[in-house]
Each structure stands twice: as structure tokens, then as C-alpha cells.
């Protein structure tokens, strides 16, 4: 299988401090890759480098290359805003646009992409809300504020918003850590359906979640990638003693 | 770091498995001694032990299921619990074979001995060594020892084949002794199965220690190596 996204010798810093150290990792189409590791290991910084969000932080810098379908996203002439349509992101805390309706939350990205026709917008919004498994719950109140939804629904709204512009890769930074178990289960279920259309990279603190939903797992520690491989292998017989200690809860 | 609750539960489970292993070793010892050294009174002990083995089988399985459900173990912890679960099943089957051996020994001892037993005591010694080694490999987390068990399987198989052949030949010309001959064949057959279960245990120990699944893979010429050493 040919990778859709290839990270080569990626390092990322905040000023003088190196947060990600020389990581190379391939992501394959229609798979879910989980990034696991203790707090401060660089996993969030790493995925923020994958759609150039990291550089938005003052003094932050990244080195190395991230190749999407053969093209380096850090190459000259790449517009980060355009790039983020191809590589979307969902964050830990649901963050719908506060004053926007449910409809406009999803339609915003489409409008920015130049889609103006109302019927087209409606079509895309319905499709995205369906993909995010939220349509049935909100179809009768599309004009209600996004913030009127429950936490789990808000997170699915953010997923619908990311999906609306039809990204190739969806990055998820601990997307369920602020949600109750039922909402978490819905999002996990959703991820396994979504991978038919997009490639998912998910950062998670919850190892059972990584084990349940991902095809591949990468373990990060102190900014380095210690080990990566098939999820079933990593959680039953990891190669590295450091991975073993982390996933069996014996760190420290 | 203080010992985790999980580690304490896991250790208790391992201790229980060792007690079970000890019982099984004794059951096989009594069942074969009864036959070889003409001690029919030892047969009763085999049946008493089997009840204990069955009780521990259930207790260990329950402990494993609880740990899997409540602690969601990963990696080496997960492999160890899976191994314990499988080893306890192997030990339980070995206990059943010990009872079969005891049954047949009892039947054989009802009549006068057919002939001096030579290969059967050899086979019993070999099988008991395999049982002991596989359990030691588990306790000592010794991969090399576990691999040694695997090569001994060939020797046990060849002893069994020899006993089958000798006894068959004997009862062909001594038809009145068919029942006693059959008992010897069944004893050899059950001993061989005990050896097979020791091999399973050794394979599970290797899996628990390394993550490598070596079941159903070619072993090379194990018998020759053992005979050479």
C-alpha cells in the first residue's frame, strides 16, 4: 500500500526547546493511526505539524518534510489555509463557532471555499452532518446555536465542520477526552466508519481507545517516536521495553 | 513504586497455578509408581488429587477472566494471563490423563505381570521430567528450558511407538493377555498425551516471555540432539 502522508525527519521546537525530535512515519489511506504517549511527549505538537498549525504558535518552528500525495506541505508556495482543507483537525474540547448556528458552523468552511449557492451548501451540510452521525439529532433545528448542543453533539458538529470541505486526512487531538462514555463510544464508532473516506490520525491518552479503534499505533516519549507498528502487535508484543513499560502502566 | 494491585492479583494467580502444577506432578508420579513398583494403594491418591486439580482449574480461570475484565492488561501482562489460562487447561487435562493411567494401572495390576516393564518406566521418567521442566520454565521465566521441553517430545513419541509395537507383538501370540496388554498400550498413550500437554505449556511460556508463537512450526531434528547430549 502506498502511503498518503509521509513524515520524514520531522523536528519541531518552541523557541529553543525541542518538542519533536527527528520523527519519520508513514500514514496509509483509509486507516486509523493512534499516537500514544505520556503528557508532554510531543504527540500533539507532532500532529499539529501535519497541517502546519504548529507554526501559528509564536516562536514555534518545524524542520523536515511532510509529504501529502507526493507533495511536501512545507515546500515553497504551499498556502497553509488551503492545506488545512485537505488535512482537517478536531481538537480536544469541542469548539463550535460560538455565535453561529448549527448550519453555519458546518457551512463556514464551504463558504470560505467559494461555495455560495444555497442548495449546494445545504447538500454539503446535510452530507457532512450525516457522516458525523449528527443529522438525525439536529435536522429540525439547524438554525439553533451550535453551543445549544450537548458536549458530545458539539464534538460531532466539529467533526462535521472538518468533513464538510472533504479533507483527505483528519487529525484528531484527544477528541473524546472531554466526553462521557456514551458520547465517546459514538465518536469511536464514527471514526471506524469515517476511515472509509478519510485517513485518520488520532492522538489519545486512552490506550484502550487506541487499541479499539486504530490500525496502527505510534508510541512517543520525550519528543521521540520510540516504536510504531500494527496496533495488534504493539498492544500484545511490543518490541521496545519502553513501550512495554508504558502500556502496562509501569512507568515511573 | 509500590506494587500495583494488578501485580498482587497476578502473583496470586501464578502461585495457584504452581500449586496446581505440583498436584498434577504428584498425580502422574503416583499413577506410574503404582504400576512400576507394584503399589496399588497409591492409585487412590491419584483420584483424591484430581478433585483438587479440578477445583484449582475453575478458580484460576475465574481469576484470569476477572483480571482481563477489570484491569484490561496489555503486552507482557496480557500474554502472561493468556498463558496462565491455557496452562491451567493443560494441567487439568494432564490430571485427567493421570486418572486414566491410574485406571489402567489398576486393571493391569489385577493380574500377574505380563513381562518385565522396561520402556514404560523409561517413558514415565521422561514424561515426568518434561512436566517438571515446563513448570520450572514458567516459574523461572526460562526460555531455554522451555525450548528443551520441546525437543524431548520426539523421544517420548519414539518410546510410545516402541511400547505399542512390543505389546502388540506379545498379545498377538498370547491372546489371553489382550486386556492387560491393552492397559499397557493405553498407559503409554496417556503418558504421551501428558508429554504433549507439557509441550503446550512450554510453548505458552515462550509466548508469554517473548510474544513469539512457535506452535505448529517445524522443530528440526530434536530427537537426534537429545540423544547426542
Amino acid at each position: 500500500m502506498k502511503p498518503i502522508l509521509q513524515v520524514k525527519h520531522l523536528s519541531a521546537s518552541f523557541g529553543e526547546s525541542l518538542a519533536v525530535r527527528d520523527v519519520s512515519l508513514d500514514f496509509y489511506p483509509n486507516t486509523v493511526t493512534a499516537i500514544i504517549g505520556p503528557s508532554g511527549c510531543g504527540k500533539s505538537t507532532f500532529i499539529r505539524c501535519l497541517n502546519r498549525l504548529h507554526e501559528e504558535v509564536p516562536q514555534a518552528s518545524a524542520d523536515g518534510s511532510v509529504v501529502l500525495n507526493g507533495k511536501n506541505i512545507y515546500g515553497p508556495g504551499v498556502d497553509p489555509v488551503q492545506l488545512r482543507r485537505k488535512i482537517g483537525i478536531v481538537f480536544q474540547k469541542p469548539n463550535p463557532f460560538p455565535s453561529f448556528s448549527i448550519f453555519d458552523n458546518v457551512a463556514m468552511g464551504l463558504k470560505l471555499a467559494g461555495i455560495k449557492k444555497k442548495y449546494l451548501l445545504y447538500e454539503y451540510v446535510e452530507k457532512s452532518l450525516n457522516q458525523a452521525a449528527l443529522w438525525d439529532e439536529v435536522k429540525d433545528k439547524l438554525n439553533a446555536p451550535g453551543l445549544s448542543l450537548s458536549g458530545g453533539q458539539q464534538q460531532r458538529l466539529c467533526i462535521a465542520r472538518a468533513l464538510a470541505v472533504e479533507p483527505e486526512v483528519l487529525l484528531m487531538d484527544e477528541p473524546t477526552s472531554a466526553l462521557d462514555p456514551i458520547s465517546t463510544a459514538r465518536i469511536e464508532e464514527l471514526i471506524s466508519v469515517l476511515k472509509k473516506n478519510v485517513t485518520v490520525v488520532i492522538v489519545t491518552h486512552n490506550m484502550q481507545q487506541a487499541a479499539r479503534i486504530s490500525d496502527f499505533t505510534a508510541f512517543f516519549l520525550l519528543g521521540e517516536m520510540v516504536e510504531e507498528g500494527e496496533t495488534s502487535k504493539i498492544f500484545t508484543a511490543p518490541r521496545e521495553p519502553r513501550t512495554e513499560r508504558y502500556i502496562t502502566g509501569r512507568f515511573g | 513504586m509500590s506494587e500495583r494491585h494488578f501485580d498482587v492479583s497476578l502473583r496470586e494467580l501464578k502461585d495457584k497455578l504452581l500449586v496446581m502444577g505440583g498436584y498434577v506432578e504428584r498425580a502422574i508420579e503416583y499413577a506410574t509408581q503404582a504400576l512400576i513398583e507394584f503399589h496399588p494403594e497409591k492409585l487412590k491418591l491419584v483420584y483424591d488429587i484430581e478433585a483438587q486439580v479440578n477445583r484449582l482449574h475453575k478458580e484460576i480461570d475465574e481469576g484470569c477472566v476477572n483480571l482481563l475484565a477489570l484491569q484490561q492488561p496489555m503486552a507482557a501482562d496480557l500474554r502472561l494471563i493468556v498463558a496462565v489460562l491455557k496452562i491451567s487447561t493443560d494441567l487439568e487435562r494432564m490430571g485427567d490423563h493421570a486418572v486414566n493411567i491410574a485406571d489402567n494401572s489398576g486393571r493391569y495390576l489385577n493380574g500377574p505381570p505380563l513381562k518385565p516393564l522396561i520402556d514404560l518406566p523409561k517413558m514415565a521418567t521422561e514424561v515426568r521430567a518434561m512436566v517438571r521442566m515446563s513448570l520450572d520454565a514458567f516459574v523461572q521465566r526460562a526460555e531455554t528450558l522451555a525450548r528443551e521441553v520441546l525437543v524431548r517430545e520426539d523421544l517420548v513419541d519414539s518410546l510410545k511407538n516402541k511400547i505399542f509395537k512390543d505389546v502388540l507383538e506379545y498379545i498377538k501370540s498370547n491372546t489371553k493377555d489382550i486386556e492387560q496388554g491393552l492397559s499397557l498400550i493405553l498407559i503409554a498413550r496417556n503418558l504421551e498425551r501428558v508429554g504433549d500437554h507439557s509441550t503446550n505449556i512450554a510453548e505458552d511460556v515462550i509466548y508469554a516471555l517473548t510474544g513469539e508463537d512457535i506452535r505448529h512450526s517445524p522443530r528440526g531434528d530434536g530427537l537426534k540432539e537429545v540423544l547426542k547430549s
Side-chain angles (χ1 to χ4, degrees), chain B residues 97-125:
Chain B
H97 290 303
V99 167
N100 290 346
I101 294 169
D103 287 347
N104 284 291
S105 297
R107 247 169 259 143
Y108 180 82
L109 292 173
N110 275 339
L114 296 188
K115 61 189 194 82
L117 300 175
I118 298 160
D119 288 322
L120 207 59
K122 227 188 265 176
M123 187 179 177
T125 308

Side-chain angles (χ1 to χ4, degrees), chain B residues 3-82:
Chain B
E3 196 173 29
R4 299 175 310 164
H5 170 68
F6 176 75
D7 289 323
V8 177
S9 311
L10 199 54
R11 202 182 52 229
E12 286 169 0
L13 210 51
K14 277 160 72 180
D15 288 347
K16 236 176 220 180
L17 191 74
L18 290 179
V19 173
M20 187 179 177
Y23 277 136
V24 169
E25 274 189 81
R26 249 180 293 157
I28 297 162
E29 186 186 326
Y30 293 151
T32 49
Q33 271 181 355
L35 172 76
I36 296 160
E37 297 166 15
F38 303 102
H39 285 303
E41 72 282 359
K42 286 197 170 167
L43 293 176
K44 189 190 166 294
L45 298 173
V46 179
Y47 302 110
D48 293 344
I49 288 174
E50 204 232 354
Q52 299 300 321
V53 169
N54 289 347
R55 175 182 59 83
L56 284 166
H57 183 215
K58 283 163 78 172
E59 281 181 26
I60 289 167
D61 281 6
E62 190 190 349
C64 289
V65 170
N66 281 342
L67 275 185
L68 288 171
L70 305 180
Q71 305 283 340
Q72 290 122 31
M74 295 284 195
D77 294 338
L78 176 66
R79 298 201 304 269
L80 181 62
I81 293 177
V82 170

Side-chain angles (χ1 to χ4, degrees), chain A residues 208 235-237 244 247-248 250, chain B residues 4 7 74-77 79:
Chain A
Q208 270 72 39
F235 285 105
T236 58
E244 174 86 47
I247 63 175
T248 54
R250 289 194 172 79
Chain B
R4 299 175 310 164
D7 289 323
M74 295 284 195
D77 294 338
R79 298 201 304 269

Side-chain angles (χ1 to χ4, degrees), chain A residues 3-109:
Chain A
I4 182 170
L5 192 66
Q6 286 178 289
V7 177
K8 295 173 186 170
H9 302 293
L10 182 79
S11 295
S13 318
F14 294 97
E16 295 292 298
S17 145
L18 198 58
V20 174
R21 202 185 299 255
D22 193 25
V23 171
S24 297
L25 182 60
D26 291 347
F27 300 94
Y28 295 92
N30 309 106
T31 60
V32 177
T33 302
I35 315 280
I36 60 166
S39 298
C41 70
K43 56 192 190 299
S44 288
T45 306
F46 173 75
I47 71 159
R48 280 155 186 262
C49 289
L50 303 186
N51 71 347
R52 295 186 56 176
L53 261 189
H54 172 64
E55 67 201 45
E56 303 290 337
V57 179
Q59 295 193 323
S61 63
D63 190 39
S65 64
V66 177
V67 178
L68 175 69
N69 288 325
K71 194 176 170 197
N72 185 6
I73 66 166
Y74 284 94
V78 175
D79 174 5
V81 178
Q82 294 285 342
L83 167 74
R84 287 172 206 145
R85 288 196 190 124
K86 290 185 190 155
I87 306 180
I89 190 161
V90 174
F91 298 95
Q92 179 176 3
K93 275 178 77 177
N95 58 348
F97 300 125
S99 56
F100 281 26
S101 66
I102 293 169
F103 184 91
D104 284 339
N105 257 287
V106 183
M108 192 61 195

